[in-house]
Amino acid sequence: MNLTLFVWRQKGPEDPGRLKQLEARDISPDMSFLEMLDLVNEDLIKQGRDPIVFDHDCREGICGTCSQVINGVPHGPEERTTVCQLHMRNFKDGDTIYIEPWKAKAFPVIKDLIVDRNAFEHIIQSGGYISAHTGGVPDANAILIAKHDADTAMDAAECIGCGACVAACPNGSAMLFAAAKVTQFAVLPQGAVEAKKRVNSMISSMKKEGFGNCSNHYECQAVCPKGIKVSFIAKLNREFIASLKT
Amino acid sequence: MFKEFKTTVGKKLIMALTGHLLIIFVIAHVIGNSTIYFGGLNSYAQHLHDLAPLVWTFRSVMLITLLIHLLLGIQLTLENRASKPDTYAVKKSLRATTASRNMIWTGALTGGFLLYHLLHFTFQVTNPDISARANLDSLGRPDVMVMVVSSFQNIIISLVYIVSMAVVALHLVHGIQSSFQSLGLNNNKTLGIIQKAGLIVSIILFAGYALIPLSILVGMVKG
């Protein structure tokens, strides 16, 4: 199939950037979205033009680097799917596709479709860890954890930190990301010790990095490739309230 | 403690708490208004005035609550705009609604309506000829009934009130469900229920308020 692409081209952080029209020819429906871009890039290189710069790593849907807003939806039209796992069978011949980078103050564009997501790392550095020595690997069942809590922690830990939540949020808020991280530790005995300090540090860090406030639009949940639920944001709010009672 | 309330989550918590106080007022107000159908409006107004110290305490609390809600709302909105300076060429909303996207505007319109409403019925300066202060009923009480009925017989005033109530309802559709989430009173099972309940409460409140000018317009309630 043949497609018309409007791709965000931006030379560097200072460049205002703009959408540029490109043609994608002879695209197989079995290709992934990134393979389609690879093909377009090959053409561009052959023509002596600058290839489209985009982030990718595992191409298995777990690294969270392929940050692209496709036709107005972070990670594209398929639910719970990263760009690398999005296949061209979701599009049809003659389609026009708009490809833009994540847009948020906290995620400045480095070039074309690559954004700087260090702000997420800084949130993690502010409290997304446990500092207690837990020793070697404990014997199975030495620390008893209720099935419900283990499930909640695992669900929260599914977050791959791709930033789609921030990209989709009209406020550029990182609440879903921070909420998943806060929850994954708070429900486990090892993480509960520092829960109060952690939630406050991570909330302050979000603000410092330039993320917006949560307006409960729930756009984040709709685009999350890992299905992280906004109920974790309610959990973060509960953790915050609990931290006020000293 | 105050430091925590200056954080993003702390501010939302205060928005939710002040919002709840305002919703309770809106519910109490529509119940009080319903005395119009039983001819008890003047007596209700008189009773309120007899409780002057209580009424003034209540009014002060409401005013402070409203100011906090308003100022924080503006601050949060400005912060949010700053965090998302660039927009996408193409953007699809998957979950955000007209109500959720326009909270600042429905809030501003509600504020504007509130000012008019206070000038109209509380300070009674917009229509002095039919003000309750100028007309006493047969028991010598300010005739609130005549003021309300004569006002709403004017189709423009009625329309302003009905449209404003629709705006308030739109604010509440998002506000009610959002406030529970901000207070942490939500999980996967309750999310949908709270959203529906918020919608139903908003519709009931809209109907309750809009029915008064409507019933006067069609002549069901007479002075």
Side-chain angles (χ1 to χ4, degrees):
Chain A
M1 62 177 126
N2 297 321
L3 304 156
T4 304
L5 309 180
F6 283 92
V7 185
W8 187 260
R9 304 304 303 262
Q10 185 171 340
K11 289 197 180 95
E14 303 306 322
D15 183 40
R18 64 196 176 96
L19 284 170
K20 245 185 165 168
Q21 187 176 345
L22 293 167
E23 302 302 321
R25 307 233 165 265
D26 303 323
I27 302 301
S28 150
D30 298 328
M31 282 178 181
S32 76
F33 200 83
L34 296 186
E35 284 166 341
M36 180 274 291
L37 285 180
D38 288 339
L39 215 66
V40 172
N41 272 349
E42 274 178 32
D43 275 348
L44 288 173
I45 291 166
K46 275 182 204 154
Q47 293 166 25
R49 293 161 72 188
D50 252 1
I52 305 160
V53 179
F54 63 91
D55 244 345
H56 63 101
D57 188 17
C58 73
R59 298 210 178 192
E60 289 178 336
I62 51 169
C63 76
T65 50
C66 48
S67 46
Q68 297 174 23
V69 176
I70 299 162
N71 286 342
V73 180
H75 289 304
E78 203 174 347
E79 261 181 55
R80 296 193 66 164
T81 307
T82 52
V83 178
C84 64
Q85 295 293 300
L86 174 70
H87 285 80
M88 295 314 291
R89 52 180 167 268
N90 286 287
F91 301 91
K92 55 182 193 301
D93 187 41
D95 270 1
T96 299
I97 306 174
Y98 285 83
I99 312 169
E100 298 176 76
W102 287 176
K103 284 190 180 174
K105 188 185 160 206
F107 288 162
V109 173
I110 297 172
K111 193 172 181 183
D112 292 348
L113 302 174
I114 296 189
V115 297
D116 179 353
R117 276 173 298 185
N118 268 317
F120 266 9
E121 307 301 334
H122 299 153
I123 293 177
I124 293 293
Q125 283 164 6
S126 75
Y129 53 83
I130 57 168
S131 56
H133 285 284
T134 52
V137 179
D139 287 338
N141 298 332
I143 303 169
L144 295 176
I145 296 167
K147 171 86 170 100
H148 174 266
D149 292 338
D151 285 350
T152 306
M154 287 304 285
D155 287 347
E158 266 200 80
C159 169
I160 52 175
C162 67
C165 43
V166 176
C169 178
N171 309 337
S173 171
M175 278 287 270
L176 192 67
F177 169 76
K181 303 301 170 192
V182 161
T183 306
Q184 117 190 19
F185 291 112
V187 295
L188 297 178
Q190 295 92 335
V193 184
E194 291 165 296
K196 285 183 180 182
K197 201 175 135 218
R198 178 180 306 111
V199 68
N200 280 295
S201 307
M202 290 180 99
I203 287 170
S204 306
S205 176
M206 277 196 288
K207 172 94 185 143
K208 214 172 93 196
E209 296 299 324
F211 292 104
N213 309 295
C214 178
S215 289
N216 304 321
H217 292 293
Y218 308 144
E219 284 287 306
C220 50
Q221 177 179 312
V223 300
C224 179
K226 296 296 153 189
I228 305 291
K229 298 274 195 302
V230 292
S231 54
F232 291 129
I233 296 180
K235 170 72 175 163
L236 180 149
N237 294 337
R238 284 198 295 279
E239 287 293 319
F240 173 77
I241 294 166
S243 81
L244 297 174
K245 301 173 203 148
T246 42
Chain B
M1 191 81 160
F2 283 112
K3 196 177 81 219
E4 276 84 7
F5 284 113
K6 283 187 182 163
T7 61
T8 165
V9 181
K11 283 180 197 163
K12 290 294 299 181
L13 205 63
I14 297 175
M15 281 304 273
L17 290 172
T18 50
H20 277 191
L21 277 178
L22 294 168
I23 292 168
I24 290 169
F25 170 75
V26 169
I27 293 170
H29 192 28
V30 79
I31 294 171
N33 286 358
S34 64
T35 52
I36 195 169
Y37 301 115
F38 319 110
L41 198 58
N42 288 356
S43 143
Y44 165 63
Q46 189 66 38
H47 275 107
L48 275 184
H49 273 267
D50 290 344
L51 298 167
L54 212 69
V55 168
W56 277 106
T57 314
F58 174 76
R59 282 176 174 173
S60 319
V61 171
M62 288 322 292
L63 186 69
I64 294 167
T65 306
L66 191 74
L67 282 177
I68 295 173
H69 196 77
L70 182 113
L71 292 174
L72 272 183
I74 293 171
Q75 196 187 18
L76 286 165
T77 306
L78 291 177
E79 286 174 0
N80 293 342
R81 298 254 161 102
S83 297
K84 201 90 175 182
D86 299 318
T87 48
Y88 296 101
V90 179
K91 179 77 179 85
K92 247 185 230 154
S93 276
L94 300 172
R95 289 285 293 269
T97 59
T98 311
S100 74
R101 292 181 163 280
N102 294 297
M103 288 302 273
I104 189 74
W105 302 118
T106 49
L109 285 172
T110 303
F113 164 74
L114 186 65
L115 272 180
Y116 168 67
H117 181 51
L118 289 175
L119 291 174
H120 182 201
F121 282 150
T122 307
F123 301 112
Q124 303 171 15
V125 292
T126 56
N127 304 68
D129 45 318
I130 50 166
S131 77
R133 232 182 276 124
N135 305 292
L136 300 183
D137 68 1
S138 53
L139 292 172
R141 301 173 300 198
D143 205 339
V144 179
M145 188 73 182
V146 163
M147 174 172 72
V148 172
V149 171
S150 325
S151 292
F152 287 143
Q153 277 167 350
N154 178 331
I155 189 155
I156 295 171
I157 295 180
S158 276
L159 274 179
V160 167
Y161 272 79
I162 292 167
V163 170
S164 298
M165 285 307 107
V167 170
V168 172
L170 202 61
H171 196 75
L172 292 182
V173 168
H174 180 68
I176 293 174
Q177 72 87 8
S178 177
S179 65
F180 280 92
Q181 172 80 355
S182 292
L183 289 168
L185 303 171
N186 223 346
N187 60 38
N188 290 331
K189 281 181 196 147
T190 59
L191 184 68
I193 300 169
I194 289 175
Q195 280 182 319
K196 277 199 193 86
L199 180 69
I200 292 167
V201 170
S202 306
I203 291 171
I204 291 173
L205 283 172
F206 169 71
Y209 277 107
L211 216 58
I212 297 169
L214 265 180
S215 54
I216 291 170
L217 263 185
V218 300
M220 273 170 62
V221 174
K222 294 189 181 86

